[in-house]
Amino acid sequence: MGRVARLRGWVTFSKLPPGSLTASTLFSAPLRSRNRIFTSPPCAAARSAGMAEEAKKLAAYAAVDNHVQNNQVVGVGSGSTIVYAVDRLAERVRQEKLNIVCVPTSFQARQLILQHGLVLSDLDRHPELDVAIDGADEVDADLTLIKGGGGCLTQEKIVAGCAKHFIVIADYRKDSKSLGQQWKKGVPIEVVPMAYVPVSRRIVQHFGGEANLRMAVSKAGPVVTDNSNFIVDWKFEGAQKWKDINRAIKMIPGVVETGLFVGMAERAYFGMENGSVQMRDAPVN
């Protein structure tokens, strides 16, 4: 017989007869010795990911419950956190018989609205929204946002700008005192394809850092937005005057929009590690 020894949650094998341990026996069943089951220690990364998903859900539910009312037109953002917001919105529409019209910020948002059987509209028919709910890649102490990690920044900013109230939902990892503290991928900037090289050069010359064309993962070549444009990610250095930076970058010929949302968000909800939800309002100017 072989001898099994447990070392800090892992299993080691010694003096096993030839052929007694194969890939099929190793991976097809839990290991037992004297009626005890040995398992590897829980993965910290998996625990962290599960905690973050629950935090997203908490923030999304709080925002939908506090800001969506009957007979409203709602802007639906994009990204992983907004999935939970649409889940809750559809649940409330069914349970409370709410009359809600949804305006999407992306192809993803449009599909979510249709999949949940919600009423789909657009800015042609509903140019003024009661509330828009969206996620963020990072939120600073003044509710200045970096958005566009998913490539939907232009439509997200248009919809947010059409809403009477713009509400942000995020998990605890997105909360920062200053931009760049948590989010290390830079500020997304949507550019006309023919202009990405001169735009990138101008940004670095005027503001430092580095500007890189975002490349796709599951296709050859660059990421292409819903508007058929490219995205340049500007990795900035140090603290910035974001209102001035945003205005200056948008003045560069070829720039469509930036992922800087300055003075737009009214309130942010953060799902926390301990299961609570923290709320922060924008400063009063």
mmCIF file with all atom_site columns, all heavy atoms in Angstrom, residues 31-42:
data_model
loop_
_atom_site.group_PDB
_atom_site.id
_atom_site.type_symbol
_atom_site.label_atom_id
_atom_site.label_alt_id
_atom_site.label_comp_id
_atom_site.label_asym_id
_atom_site.label_entity_id
_atom_site.label_seq_id
_atom_site.pdbx_PDB_ins_code
_atom_site.Cartn_x
_atom_site.Cartn_y
_atom_site.Cartn_z
_atom_site.occupancy
_atom_site.B_iso_or_equiv
_atom_site.pdbx_formal_charge
_atom_site.auth_seq_id
_atom_site.auth_comp_id
_atom_site.auth_asym_id
_atom_site.auth_atom_id
_atom_site.pdbx_PDB_model_num
ATOM 1   N N   . LEU A 1 31 ? -9.297  12.541 -2.962 1.00 0.00 ? 31 LEU A N   1
ATOM 2   C CA  . LEU A 1 31 ? -8.355  11.620 -2.337 1.00 0.00 ? 31 LEU A CA  1
ATOM 3   C C   . LEU A 1 31 ? -8.828  11.263 -0.939 1.00 0.00 ? 31 LEU A C   1
ATOM 4   O O   . LEU A 1 31 ? -9.235  12.116 -0.168 1.00 0.00 ? 31 LEU A O   1
ATOM 5   C CB  . LEU A 1 31 ? -6.972  12.278 -2.279 1.00 0.00 ? 31 LEU A CB  1
ATOM 6   C CG  . LEU A 1 31 ? -6.372  12.622 -3.646 1.00 0.00 ? 31 LEU A CG  1
ATOM 7   C CD1 . LEU A 1 31 ? -5.148  13.481 -3.471 1.00 0.00 ? 31 LEU A CD1 1
ATOM 8   C CD2 . LEU A 1 31 ? -6.044  11.373 -4.420 1.00 0.00 ? 31 LEU A CD2 1
ATOM 9   N N   . ARG A 1 32 ? -8.775  9.961  -0.587 1.00 0.00 ? 32 ARG A N   1
ATOM 10  C CA  . ARG A 1 32 ? -9.241  9.510  0.711  1.00 0.00 ? 32 ARG A CA  1
ATOM 11  C C   . ARG A 1 32 ? -8.157  8.689  1.400  1.00 0.00 ? 32 ARG A C   1
ATOM 12  O O   . ARG A 1 32 ? -7.466  7.902  0.776  1.00 0.00 ? 32 ARG A O   1
ATOM 13  C CB  . ARG A 1 32 ? -10.518 8.671  0.561  1.00 0.00 ? 32 ARG A CB  1
ATOM 14  C CG  . ARG A 1 32 ? -11.733 9.464  0.102  1.00 0.00 ? 32 ARG A CG  1
ATOM 15  C CD  . ARG A 1 32 ? -12.938 8.568  -0.089 1.00 0.00 ? 32 ARG A CD  1
ATOM 16  N NE  . ARG A 1 32 ? -14.144 9.324  -0.351 1.00 0.00 ? 32 ARG A NE  1
ATOM 17  C CZ  . ARG A 1 32 ? -14.484 9.776  -1.529 1.00 0.00 ? 32 ARG A CZ  1
ATOM 18  N NH1 . ARG A 1 32 ? -13.705 9.572  -2.553 1.00 0.00 ? 32 ARG A NH1 1
ATOM 19  N NH2 . ARG A 1 32 ? -15.605 10.457 -1.696 1.00 0.00 ? 32 ARG A NH2 1
ATOM 20  N N   . SER A 1 33 ? -8.042  8.865  2.665  1.00 0.00 ? 33 SER A N   1
ATOM 21  C CA  . SER A 1 33 ? -7.152  8.043  3.476  1.00 0.00 ? 33 SER A CA  1
ATOM 22  C C   . SER A 1 33 ? -7.773  7.896  4.847  1.00 0.00 ? 33 SER A C   1
ATOM 23  O O   . SER A 1 33 ? -7.997  8.891  5.539  1.00 0.00 ? 33 SER A O   1
ATOM 24  C CB  . SER A 1 33 ? -5.768  8.700  3.585  1.00 0.00 ? 33 SER A CB  1
ATOM 25  O OG  . SER A 1 33 ? -4.930  7.943  4.427  1.00 0.00 ? 33 SER A OG  1
ATOM 26  N N   . ARG A 1 34 ? -8.087  6.627  5.211  1.00 0.00 ? 34 ARG A N   1
ATOM 27  C CA  . ARG A 1 34 ? -8.734  6.368  6.484  1.00 0.00 ? 34 ARG A CA  1
ATOM 28  C C   . ARG A 1 34 ? -10.009 7.204  6.640  1.00 0.00 ? 34 ARG A C   1
ATOM 29  O O   . ARG A 1 34 ? -10.248 7.863  7.645  1.00 0.00 ? 34 ARG A O   1
ATOM 30  C CB  . ARG A 1 34 ? -7.779  6.620  7.644  1.00 0.00 ? 34 ARG A CB  1
ATOM 31  C CG  . ARG A 1 34 ? -6.588  5.662  7.669  1.00 0.00 ? 34 ARG A CG  1
ATOM 32  C CD  . ARG A 1 34 ? -5.701  5.916  8.867  1.00 0.00 ? 34 ARG A CD  1
ATOM 33  N NE  . ARG A 1 34 ? -4.562  5.011  8.860  1.00 0.00 ? 34 ARG A NE  1
ATOM 34  C CZ  . ARG A 1 34 ? -3.604  5.035  9.791  1.00 0.00 ? 34 ARG A CZ  1
ATOM 35  N NH1 . ARG A 1 34 ? -3.673  5.914  10.779 1.00 0.00 ? 34 ARG A NH1 1
ATOM 36  N NH2 . ARG A 1 34 ? -2.608  4.191  9.720  1.00 0.00 ? 34 ARG A NH2 1
ATOM 37  N N   . ASN A 1 35 ? -10.817 7.195  5.564  1.00 0.00 ? 35 ASN A N   1
ATOM 38  C CA  . ASN A 1 35 ? -12.119 7.872  5.549  1.00 0.00 ? 35 ASN A CA  1
ATOM 39  C C   . ASN A 1 35 ? -12.026 9.392  5.628  1.00 0.00 ? 35 ASN A C   1
ATOM 40  O O   . ASN A 1 35 ? -13.008 10.059 5.888  1.00 0.00 ? 35 ASN A O   1
ATOM 41  C CB  . ASN A 1 35 ? -13.010 7.370  6.691  1.00 0.00 ? 35 ASN A CB  1
ATOM 42  C CG  . ASN A 1 35 ? -13.291 5.898  6.573  1.00 0.00 ? 35 ASN A CG  1
ATOM 43  O OD1 . ASN A 1 35 ? -13.490 5.406  5.458  1.00 0.00 ? 35 ASN A OD1 1
ATOM 44  N ND2 . ASN A 1 35 ? -13.287 5.200  7.688  1.00 0.00 ? 35 ASN A ND2 1
ATOM 45  N N   . ARG A 1 36 ? -10.843 9.955  5.417  1.00 0.00 ? 36 ARG A N   1
ATOM 46  C CA  . ARG A 1 36 ? -10.717 11.408 5.386  1.00 0.00 ? 36 ARG A CA  1
ATOM 47  C C   . ARG A 1 36 ? -10.546 11.860 3.955  1.00 0.00 ? 36 ARG A C   1
ATOM 48  O O   . ARG A 1 36 ? -9.851  11.227 3.171  1.00 0.00 ? 36 ARG A O   1
ATOM 49  C CB  . ARG A 1 36 ? -9.512  11.862 6.218  1.00 0.00 ? 36 ARG A CB  1
ATOM 50  C CG  . ARG A 1 36 ? -9.644  11.552 7.705  1.00 0.00 ? 36 ARG A CG  1
ATOM 51  C CD  . ARG A 1 36 ? -8.375  11.938 8.438  1.00 0.00 ? 36 ARG A CD  1
ATOM 52  N NE  . ARG A 1 36 ? -8.149  13.368 8.354  1.00 0.00 ? 36 ARG A NE  1
ATOM 53  C CZ  . ARG A 1 36 ? -7.016  13.943 8.755  1.00 0.00 ? 36 ARG A CZ  1
ATOM 54  N NH1 . ARG A 1 36 ? -6.034  13.215 9.248  1.00 0.00 ? 36 ARG A NH1 1
ATOM 55  N NH2 . ARG A 1 36 ? -6.879  15.245 8.660  1.00 0.00 ? 36 ARG A NH2 1
ATOM 56  N N   . ILE A 1 37 ? -11.171 12.985 3.605  1.00 0.00 ? 37 ILE A N   1
ATOM 57  C CA  . ILE A 1 37 ? -11.072 13.534 2.254  1.00 0.00 ? 37 ILE A CA  1
ATOM 58  C C   . ILE A 1 37 ? -10.095 14.690 2.267  1.00 0.00 ? 37 ILE A C   1
ATOM 59  O O   . ILE A 1 37 ? -10.197 15.611 3.079  1.00 0.00 ? 37 ILE A O   1
ATOM 60  C CB  . ILE A 1 37 ? -12.449 14.024 1.741  1.00 0.00 ? 37 ILE A CB  1
ATOM 61  C CG1 . ILE A 1 37 ? -13.419 12.839 1.680  1.00 0.00 ? 37 ILE A CG1 1
ATOM 62  C CG2 . ILE A 1 37 ? -12.326 14.672 0.369  1.00 0.00 ? 37 ILE A CG2 1
ATOM 63  C CD1 . ILE A 1 37 ? -14.816 13.235 1.257  1.00 0.00 ? 37 ILE A CD1 1
ATOM 64  N N   . PHE A 1 38 ? -9.094  14.633 1.353  1.00 0.00 ? 38 PHE A N   1
ATOM 65  C CA  . PHE A 1 38 ? -8.078  15.674 1.281  1.00 0.00 ? 38 PHE A CA  1
ATOM 66  C C   . PHE A 1 38 ? -8.388  16.596 0.112  1.00 0.00 ? 38 PHE A C   1
ATOM 67  O O   . PHE A 1 38 ? -8.637  16.140 -1.002 1.00 0.00 ? 38 PHE A O   1
ATOM 68  C CB  . PHE A 1 38 ? -6.693  15.049 1.077  1.00 0.00 ? 38 PHE A CB  1
ATOM 69  C CG  . PHE A 1 38 ? -6.239  14.218 2.240  1.00 0.00 ? 38 PHE A CG  1
ATOM 70  C CD1 . PHE A 1 38 ? -6.542  12.867 2.307  1.00 0.00 ? 38 PHE A CD1 1
ATOM 71  C CD2 . PHE A 1 38 ? -5.531  14.789 3.283  1.00 0.00 ? 38 PHE A CD2 1
ATOM 72  C CE1 . PHE A 1 38 ? -6.133  12.103 3.383  1.00 0.00 ? 38 PHE A CE1 1
ATOM 73  C CE2 . PHE A 1 38 ? -5.121  14.038 4.362  1.00 0.00 ? 38 PHE A CE2 1
ATOM 74  C CZ  . PHE A 1 38 ? -5.421  12.685 4.418  1.00 0.00 ? 38 PHE A CZ  1
ATOM 75  N N   . THR A 1 39 ? -8.386  17.872 0.355  1.00 0.00 ? 39 THR A N   1
ATOM 76  C CA  . THR A 1 39 ? -8.606  18.865 -0.698 1.00 0.00 ? 39 THR A CA  1
ATOM 77  C C   . THR A 1 39 ? -7.515  19.915 -0.629 1.00 0.00 ? 39 THR A C   1
ATOM 78  O O   . THR A 1 39 ? -6.910  20.134 0.419  1.00 0.00 ? 39 THR A O   1
ATOM 79  C CB  . THR A 1 39 ? -9.968  19.565 -0.539 1.00 0.00 ? 39 THR A CB  1
ATOM 80  O OG1 . THR A 1 39 ? -10.013 20.188 0.737  1.00 0.00 ? 39 THR A OG1 1
ATOM 81  C CG2 . THR A 1 39 ? -11.107 18.553 -0.658 1.00 0.00 ? 39 THR A CG2 1
ATOM 82  N N   . SER A 1 40 ? -7.269  20.561 -1.760 1.00 0.00 ? 40 SER A N   1
ATOM 83  C CA  . SER A 1 40 ? -6.298  21.645 -1.783 1.00 0.00 ? 40 SER A CA  1
ATOM 84  C C   . SER A 1 40 ? -6.899  22.874 -1.123 1.00 0.00 ? 40 SER A C   1
ATOM 85  O O   . SER A 1 40 ? -8.119  23.002 -1.039 1.00 0.00 ? 40 SER A O   1
ATOM 86  C CB  . SER A 1 40 ? -5.903  21.967 -3.228 1.00 0.00 ? 40 SER A CB  1
ATOM 87  O OG  . SER A 1 40 ? -7.035  22.348 -3.955 1.00 0.00 ? 40 SER A OG  1
ATOM 88  N N   . PRO A 1 41 ? -6.073  23.804 -0.637 1.00 0.00 ? 41 PRO A N   1
ATOM 89  C CA  . PRO A 1 41 ? -6.607  24.984 0.034  1.00 0.00 ? 41 PRO A CA  1
ATOM 90  C C   . PRO A 1 41 ? -7.407  25.855 -0.914 1.00 0.00 ? 41 PRO A C   1
ATOM 91  O O   . PRO A 1 41 ? -7.147  25.865 -2.117 1.00 0.00 ? 41 PRO A O   1
ATOM 92  C CB  . PRO A 1 41 ? -5.336  25.718 0.504  1.00 0.00 ? 41 PRO A CB  1
ATOM 93  C CG  . PRO A 1 41 ? -4.229  25.161 -0.303 1.00 0.00 ? 41 PRO A CG  1
ATOM 94  C CD  . PRO A 1 41 ? -4.605  23.776 -0.690 1.00 0.00 ? 41 PRO A CD  1
ATOM 95  N N   . PRO A 1 42 ? -8.437  26.573 -0.425 1.00 0.00 ? 42 PRO A N   1
ATOM 96  C CA  . PRO A 1 42 ? -9.242  27.451 -1.286 1.00 0.00 ? 42 PRO A CA  1
ATOM 97  C C   . PRO A 1 42 ? -8.364  28.482 -1.982 1.00 0.00 ? 42 PRO A C   1
ATOM 98  O O   . PRO A 1 42 ? -7.397  28.977 -1.412 1.00 0.00 ? 42 PRO A O   1
ATOM 99  C CB  . PRO A 1 42 ? -10.208 28.122 -0.312 1.00 0.00 ? 42 PRO A CB  1
ATOM 100 C CG  . PRO A 1 42 ? -10.227 27.236 0.892  1.00 0.00 ? 42 PRO A CG  1
ATOM 101 C CD  . PRO A 1 42 ? -8.866  26.613 0.972  1.00 0.00 ? 42 PRO A CD  1
#
